Amino acid sequence: MNFKVSEEVSALGINVIFLSVTSIDNSFFTQALKNEIDDYYKIFSEKYTLNDFDNNHNIVGYKKLHNKVGVTDKLLTASPESIIKILLKHKSLRSINPIVDTYNYISIKNKISIGAHDLANIIGNVELRLTKGDEHFIPLGKDQSQTINSGEYCYLDENEVICRLDCRQCEKTKTSNKTKSCLFILQGNEAISTNLLHSTAQQLLDVITSNDSKSTQYSITQA
């Protein structure tokens, strides 16, 4: 599988790391990792309010990125801000599966957009480019295609959009307890250095392998 980022997208200040991990047992979650995440969320919820992130460089960077491509829909919020809002509102996050719970945890810690896609359901190569407005996209949890505006930056396989902006993933490539191989997409902006993206990818990989020692086959691609 190859990964490509168009020149138009790169010019927006977007930097991306693709992390492919295979031989995952996504049905297993150690109690130690569950406790680590729960303890972090408890401290986070007690320490912060939403106002504390109004001037966070990473989150502001995503907002500026949306402005550059004319995204005005307030429901299209970059994933780090979205999950932080949910965490602060409910004081916890609903457990979904080890892959999702892990990347949400690392995303909140570093304020970086992270998504995960079941490699078995990705067709061909993955490209990050600006949309034409005629792309096919079924959001996670939905069964009907959603209209995408032209000029948005989206991730596509050979057939359809697998992630809209840094906000919404698709239904087709969602992970489940049966997922064995996963593509993680870590996306930055002008405020996020390549070094931080790489260190975040390594943190993510460290947590995955600590939970499942068999998940040792991986590749990291910067695009």
Side-chain angles (χ1 to χ4, degrees), residues 17-18 29-30 47 51 54 64 92 110 118 129 151 156 159-161 167 176 180 210 214:
I17 284 182
F18 298 95
F29 214 17
T30 66
K47 184 177 181 179
N51 293 335
D54 286 344
K64 289 181 177 178
S92 65
N110 291 351
D118 193 319
R129 63 167 174 81
L156 301 94
N159 291 345
E160 60 194 282
V161 171
C167 306
S176 71
K180 301 298 182 185
S210 71
K214 299 187 295 299

Side-chain angles (χ1 to χ4, degrees), residues 36-219:
E36 177 184 334
I37 294 175
D38 288 344
D39 289 345
Y40 180 82
Y41 287 167
K42 183 176 185 296
I43 294 171
F44 189 96
S45 300
E46 292 172 348
K47 184 177 181 179
Y48 296 110
T49 68
L50 279 178
N51 293 335
D52 292 315
F53 299 96
D54 286 344
N55 298 313
N56 179 273
H57 292 300
N58 292 7
I59 290 177
V60 170
Y62 289 113
K63 291 180 178 179
K64 289 181 177 178
L65 193 52
H66 287 191
N67 288 336
K68 283 184 179 181
V69 294
V71 174
T72 57
D73 188 343
K74 293 183 179 180
L75 295 177
L76 292 173
T77 304
S79 58
E81 183 178 2
S82 294
I83 56 177
I84 286 173
K85 286 180 178 178
I86 294 171
L87 173 58
L88 293 179
K89 179 179 180 179
H90 299 285
K91 310 303 179 185
S92 65
L93 292 181
R94 179 173 63 90
S95 179
I96 298 175
N97 63 56
I99 286 175
V100 176
D101 294 354
T102 297
Y103 81 68
N104 278 341
Y105 170 47
I106 300 300
S107 177
I108 289 174
K109 289 184 75 172
N110 291 351
K111 321 301 180 293
I112 285 178
S113 173
I114 305 176
H117 304 269
D118 193 319
L119 275 168
N121 297 322
I122 294 178
I123 309 300
N125 299 319
V126 174
E127 180 181 13
L128 171 57
R129 63 167 174 81
L130 297 183
T131 55
K132 301 174 184 176
D134 59 357
E135 289 81 5
H136 181 68
F137 175 59
I138 299 179
L140 184 66
K142 305 295 183 181
D143 56 10
Q144 293 186 356
S145 183
Q146 181 184 81
T147 300
I148 291 182
N149 300 321
S150 62
E152 293 183 0
Y153 53 90
C154 290
Y155 298 82
L156 301 94
D157 67 5
E158 298 291 340
N159 291 345
E160 60 194 282
V161 171
I162 63 171
C163 187
R164 183 179 184 184
L165 302 162
D166 30 51
C167 306
R168 294 189 180 169
Q169 300 179 105
C170 77
E171 176 69 15
K172 181 184 75 170
T173 62
K174 69 179 180 183
T175 61
S176 71
N177 290 336
K178 296 180 180 180
T179 297
K180 301 298 182 185
S181 300
C182 184
L183 173 65
F184 295 94
I185 300 176
L186 296 85
Q187 184 205 295
N189 55 58
E190 288 182 332
I192 297 173
S193 69
T194 300
N195 286 340
L196 180 55
L197 275 183
H198 275 283
S199 66
T200 302
Q202 188 60 55
Q203 290 175 45
L204 181 59
L205 186 61
D206 289 344
V207 174
I208 293 170
T209 52
S210 71
N211 183 63
D212 177 13
S213 60
K214 299 187 295 299
S215 299
T216 54
Q217 302 176 49
Y218 69 93
S219 65

